[in-house]
Amino acid sequence: MGFRRFLASLLCVSKAQADTDSILPITKDFITSSSSISSASTASMRTSNRSQQILDKASGRAMVIQEFISSEETYVNLLEEFDDIYIQSACAPLTFGTGGKLSREVTLDTALTPDERRTMFNGLQEILSLHRKLVLPKFFAATQVLLTQGDDRDGLRSTHAAFEVCQVICKFADLFKMYSAYSATCDNATAKLTQWTNRADMVRQDKNRVQAYLAKCKVNKKHSQINMTGYLLLPVQRLTRYKMLLEQLEKYTPAPPTGTRDYIGEALARISAILVYVNDYKRDLDARSRLCHWADQISSVGPSPLVQPHRTLIREGPVNFIARGALPQNTSRTLKHRHVDESKRSIGTVNKMCMAILCQDLLVLVDNVANKQKGKLELVDVVRLSAMGKARVEWGNVVVFEAYDVSYYLQADDQEIAQGWVDAINKSTRS
């Protein structure tokens, strides 16, 4: 009996093991049902997150496109206000009182003179015409489907609208160069307005005329809350606004497939190039204007006039012309890459406060104090950069260079300014 019970127990265990083995497979990569549920849940969450990201980007893209349209509408409306209120009024007849004890009314054919209108409004009407007749209608056409039907689930409508808007920017990019002329003269307009507001350097009749014109414009019912300065600055800010919006559009728009045209990148590059062009144009015009100013202030500038078609101002500022040192006669004239021993120079003290005027081909030093009789600045020295050696800073804030076998010592206010002069001189001599 004992053996039979033992045999029976063995048979029962084997059967149980067999039953268990039939339930659980012996493969190593077996995944339980709970793990399957977890994996499916993770995949679902990833899909949901991706869909949410697409939705968020499409929403952001649509908002940027809407901002393109709304800001362009506002821009055109404000320019139209400026044209109606200030420019048209400047060309219209004006009646005003002369003031004083014998005050009487005077009527002029135009409120502002042609020169004043040119100073204040140069290029504004052309800019308004460009945006009102071309840019804004094209923006509307590019975004009509998106604005009327809304975006689709995959954001394809907003993507297409973004590309269309960028094509409009690229199409008119060359015309945006007209902003350069306005940007270059906007400072003159704001300066003239400041003069009018302060009533400075004006005869009485002009003061009364301008004040009557400004008062007439301010009471116009179309006038917005911004003042005349705000109107004048509108075009200056517009191209920068385009660039900011394009950068946002690039952020919210997926990159185009390889081999296809990147309209957003192209539009951003074109606007960036236009901004550089506008800034360079203004800088060059300002430099030429300053050069004309110095030409009027200096009594003479050697054998040729200071103002030349090829010449622009690079740097200007006060320096102390402390000394000029002659080199021994046997010293080589090739000084561009040599550092001459100070002990071999015959140094003569000058010690004169001068204005240094650096152009791309010469350095002019003029007396900082005008001649009382002539009312002009006396010429101290002219150094052609073609004869100049490499400039350097010595003794902390002294600019030193050699030219015509002579060493020049110009003291600046501090080391930073001296280094600025050295960098400008050396860059000009290399170009």
Side-chain angles (χ1 to χ4, degrees):
M1 291 294 292
F3 177 77
R4 290 180 180 178
R5 289 178 181 175
F6 174 74
L7 184 60
S9 64
L10 287 177
L11 292 174
C12 289
V13 171
S14 299
K15 187 176 185 303
Q17 287 179 343
D19 292 341
T20 304
D21 291 343
S22 66
I23 294 174
L24 298 177
I26 60 175
T27 54
K28 294 181 180 179
D29 57 348
F30 173 71
I31 302 176
T32 61
S33 58
S34 60
S35 299
S36 299
I37 294 172
S38 175
S39 176
S41 176
T42 302
S44 176
M45 289 177 61
R46 288 177 180 172
T47 303
S48 176
N49 290 339
R50 182 173 177 275
S51 300
Q52 185 63 38
Q53 289 175 359
I54 293 174
L55 184 62
D56 290 344
K57 284 204 168 188
S59 176
R61 184 166 58 248
M63 289 178 63
V64 174
I65 294 171
Q66 179 63 48
E67 180 62 22
F68 256 110
I69 301 301
S70 61
S71 64
E72 188 72 17
E73 278 188 293
T74 302
Y75 179 58
V76 170
N77 290 337
L78 290 175
L79 286 183
E80 287 178 337
E81 286 179 11
F82 190 41
D83 182 44
D84 292 340
I85 297 170
Y86 286 94
I87 301 179
Q88 300 303 325
S89 297
C91 301
L94 177 69
T95 301
F96 64 97
T98 57
K101 295 181 179 180
L102 302 176
S103 177
R104 59 189 179 86
E105 286 193 344
V106 176
T107 300
L108 299 178
D109 293 336
T110 59
L112 300 184
T113 65
D115 287 342
E116 288 172 335
R117 295 198 300 271
R118 194 177 303 110
T119 300
M120 298 301 297
F121 313 123
N122 182 39
L124 266 169
Q125 290 181 308
E126 290 79 4
I127 291 174
L128 171 58
S129 179
L130 168 65
H131 287 268
R132 179 170 56 189
K133 295 180 179 179
L134 297 177
V135 179
L136 184 57
K138 290 294 184 181
F139 275 170
F140 276 134
T143 58
Q144 183 179 8
V145 175
L146 176 65
L147 297 181
T148 55
Q149 301 180 19
D151 206 357
D152 56 348
R153 184 175 180 180
D154 296 328
L156 296 179
R157 286 190 193 130
S158 60
T159 301
H160 179 72
F163 292 160
E164 291 289 325
V165 167
C166 291
Q167 288 183 65
V168 174
I169 296 290
C170 292
K171 181 177 182 179
F172 298 115
D174 288 338
L175 293 179
F176 290 151
K177 289 182 178 180
M178 70 171 61
Y179 276 84
S180 59
Y182 180 80
S183 178
T185 57
C186 184
D187 290 343
N188 297 333
T190 54
K192 176 65 74 174
L193 180 59
T194 301
Q195 180 189 12
W196 288 351
T197 304
N198 297 334
R199 304 183 183 187
D201 301 326
M202 300 173 66
V203 298
R204 176 182 293 180
Q205 182 168 336
D206 285 342
K207 289 180 182 179
N208 295 332
R209 171 179 59 85
V210 170
Q211 293 304 314
Y213 161 72
L214 294 176
K216 177 183 177 181
C217 294
K218 287 180 181 179
V219 298
N220 193 304
K221 294 181 180 180
K222 297 180 181 179
H223 205 298
S224 299
Q225 294 182 351
I226 62 176
N227 55 21
M228 189 176 184
T229 303
Y231 281 118
L232 288 170
L233 293 177
L234 285 171
V236 177
Q237 302 164 346
R238 189 56 191 162
L239 294 183
T240 304
R241 182 65 174 162
Y242 279 156
K243 184 180 179 182
M244 292 173 59
L245 290 173
L246 286 171
E247 288 172 343
Q248 289 295 311
L249 202 58
E250 186 179 48
K251 175 182 176 182
Y252 288 113
T253 305
T258 304
T260 59
R261 190 172 178 181
D262 183 6
Y263 290 106
I264 298 178
E266 183 178 340
L268 188 54
R270 296 290 293 274
I271 282 295
S272 299
I274 294 296
L275 282 170
V276 171
Y277 174 85
V278 170
N279 292 334
D280 288 347
Y281 183 91
K282 184 179 186 302
R283 189 182 301 110
D284 184 66
L285 197 64
D286 289 344
R288 292 182 184 277
S289 176
R290 290 296 299 169
L291 202 60
C292 291
H293 164 77
W294 287 117
D296 291 337
Q297 295 295 316
I298 302 172
S299 57
S300 63
V301 190
S304 62
L306 179 61
V307 178
Q308 299 284 349
H310 68 280
R311 186 173 293 155
T312 56
L313 181 68
I314 296 175
R315 188 182 178 96
E316 61 179 336
V319 296
N320 183 13
F321 189 5
I322 55 177
R324 183 167 38 200
L327 297 173
Q329 293 183 355
N330 60 353
T331 304
S332 171
R333 290 179 176 271
T334 307
L335 298 168
K336 289 190 176 183
H337 304 288
R338 297 187 60 182
H339 186 83
V340 182
D341 187 359
E342 300 289 337
S343 62
K344 296 181 180 180
R345 294 190 178 106
S346 175
I347 298 176
T349 302
V350 179
N351 197 24
K352 184 184 288 290
M353 290 302 300
C354 296
M355 285 298 298
I357 304 163
L358 177 65
C359 303
Q360 73 268 36
D361 60 337
L362 53 80
L363 174 66
V364 179
L365 298 172
V366 296
D367 197 335
N368 211 6
V369 180
N371 187 299
K372 293 182 179 180
Q373 295 180 349
K374 298 181 180 179
K376 289 182 176 289
L377 302 176
E378 292 294 332
L379 179 66
V380 176
D381 208 334
V382 178
V383 182
R384 294 200 174 274
L385 269 61
S386 58
M388 188 183 295
K390 187 176 181 180
R392 59 194 180 276
V393 177
E394 295 185 5
W395 303 293
N397 63 336
V398 178
V399 179
V400 182
F401 58 85
E402 287 78 30
Y404 314 116
D405 292 347
V406 175
S407 295
Y408 288 79
Y409 303 83
L410 309 178
Q411 185 180 33
D413 288 340
D414 55 47
Q415 185 173 1
E416 183 179 355
I417 296 176
Q419 189 61 51
W421 277 106
V422 166
D423 294 341
I425 291 171
N426 290 337
K427 183 178 180 181
S428 300
T429 55
R430 289 195 302 267
S431 60

